[in-house]
Amino acid sequence: MTNRTRTYPGWQFLLLLLALGGIIGGWIGDAIVRVWPAIGLLGRVQSVGLPTFTMDLHVFTLSFGFMLNINFFTILGFVLAWLFYRRL
């Protein structure tokens, strides 16, 4: 009897899938809300993150910031991407 373990692709591939899942989920959600405005509550966006912070050092300028705009369809895209990753 052999000991088989399941190996998954790397975490970089998971991050790529999650990003694509969120982007595509957001696009599909926007299209669905435009066609069917009655479910506008599901398309409502919540922003989470750090607003842009800029430092002007006279020689160069540094800008930092991260904003994640989440709605139901984005979360659904994340979940579907994670399930797809687990199936690989």
Side-chain angles (χ1 to χ4, degrees):
M1 193 166 171
T2 62
N3 185 9
R4 291 186 180 175
T5 60
R6 180 151 179 140
T7 60
Y8 294 103
W11 60 270
Q12 298 93 345
F13 186 66
L14 175 62
L15 286 179
L16 177 67
L17 280 178
L18 288 175
L20 289 175
I23 291 169
I24 293 171
W27 286 344
I28 291 172
D30 287 342
I32 289 174
V33 168
R34 279 193 204 127
V35 171
W36 194 9
I39 61 168
L41 184 63
L42 295 178
R44 196 169 189 199
V45 175
Q46 284 295 104
S47 297
V48 178
L50 300 170
T52 304
F53 170 72
T54 304
M55 288 181 4
D56 185 8
L57 301 174
H58 295 292
V59 176
F60 57 92
T61 303
L62 293 174
S63 295
F64 301 100
F66 175 77
M67 194 61 65
L68 184 62
N69 298 319
I70 299 176
N71 64 14
F72 173 76
F73 297 104
T74 305
I75 294 171
L76 185 63
F78 288 152
V79 169
L80 291 175
W82 181 76
L83 290 174
F84 179 74
Y85 176 77
R86 296 291 292 181
R87 297 274 267 138
L88 292 178

